[in-house]
Amino acid sequence: MCTDCLPAGRDPWLPDRLLRTERDLLMPLLRRTPEEAYELRTACPGWTARQVLAHCGAALVRIVEGRLEEGVFLPEANARDVAEREDWPLGRILDELERGLTEAGPVIAGHEDGRLDAVALGEWVHAGDVREAFGEPGAYCGEALSLALPLLSVTSRKRETPRLVGRLADHAGEVALGNEIEGRPPAVFDGDAATLIRIYAGRPLVRTRYALTGATEEELLIYR
């Protein structure tokens, strides 16, 4: 993949492709995982795998149904959505998630301002949170990475992070993220793609190995 030449403009259907690809990869894993595993803690403070997935399904179905009142994706609203699903059977949570992964993409594409694109990327990151909790390979990378990286490129510019050139050990080419700042040279990241995702998404960096020059991890966060 030549990530050095990612388009600067928005591809409105990129979130849909990412969500549907992740649906096809993730749902079979979730359907076959024993229910007790859903009580494992994730990288999201205070949330189990079950709660992360409840949040994901709730957020996507809100988009599908147009229930996007002010403050809808703030932590307090997310916590309310999760609490409302505490008594749901696991199967109902998974069904809602699958519906959201299937139906939210076209709605996101229809928002010309692209303000919901980052939600699709966040869903993919949360899938990584669950994979990591389950001890599965491919957390924050895997087959959908080729779709997540260009969406990260666009999101990092919208969230006004500084320009960074990512030299990924496990991918050909370079990733250009963030915005140029006059008088400031681009930061440089050397490491693997999953670690780059962890940095931008604010996930734990324990047991990772990378070099970052010209920026701090805090400056690169896209979810604050």
Side-chain angles (χ1 to χ4, degrees):
M1 174 184 176
C2 181
T3 51
D4 194 31
C5 304
L6 292 174
R10 176 182 182 244
D11 175 355
W13 289 99
L14 179 58
D16 180 59
R17 295 196 298 274
L18 177 60
L19 291 174
R20 287 176 178 270
T21 299
E22 191 55 47
R23 175 199 63 193
D24 294 343
L25 294 170
L26 181 65
M27 294 310 303
L29 168 65
L30 298 181
R31 299 286 188 189
R32 68 173 181 264
T33 297
E35 189 162 349
E36 57 268 23
Y38 286 85
E39 299 308 314
L40 292 169
R41 295 287 169 173
T42 69
C44 302
W47 277 6
T48 63
R50 187 184 193 279
Q51 290 168 321
V52 168
L53 295 170
H55 159 62
C56 288
L60 289 173
V61 170
R62 278 187 174 277
I63 291 173
V64 171
E65 296 178 351
R67 295 183 288 110
L68 299 174
E69 64 271 14
E70 186 175 354
V72 66
F73 295 131
L74 293 178
E76 296 81 3
N78 292 336
R80 285 195 297 271
D81 283 342
V82 171
E84 288 173 4
R85 288 157 176 77
E86 279 298 318
D87 295 330
W88 285 20
L90 177 62
R92 184 178 176 187
I93 290 175
L94 298 185
D95 288 345
E96 181 179 56
L97 175 62
E98 186 163 9
R99 178 194 173 195
L101 291 170
T102 302
E103 299 180 16
V107 182
I108 293 172
H111 284 260
E112 295 182 1
D113 59 5
R115 67 188 182 94
L116 296 177
D117 291 7
V119 176
L121 181 62
E123 296 283 318
W124 179 79
V125 171
H126 278 317
D129 297 333
V130 172
R131 285 189 176 91
E132 186 167 63
F134 287 173
E136 293 286 330
Y140 316 113
C141 54
E143 294 180 42
L145 180 66
S146 61
L147 297 169
L149 281 175
L151 191 53
L152 174 62
S153 182
V154 173
T155 302
S156 67
R157 290 195 293 271
K158 289 180 69 70
R159 298 297 171 92
E160 299 184 349
T161 65
R163 175 55 57 92
L164 177 140
V165 174
R167 302 191 296 216
L168 304 182
D170 48 354
H171 281 267
E174 297 180 342
V175 183
L177 305 174
N179 303 297
E180 292 184 3
I181 299 175
E182 186 176 356
R184 178 175 175 174
V188 177
F189 169 88
D190 286 287
D192 61 44
T195 301
L196 183 70
I197 296 292
R198 287 176 181 273
I199 290 173
Y200 275 86
R203 293 316 191 254
L205 295 165
V206 177
R207 298 182 65 186
T208 62
R209 180 178 298 173
Y210 65 95
L212 175 64
T213 57
T216 66
E217 288 84 355
E218 290 76 15
E219 290 180 288
L220 303 178
L221 288 174
I222 57 172
Y223 301 114
R224 299 175 184 272

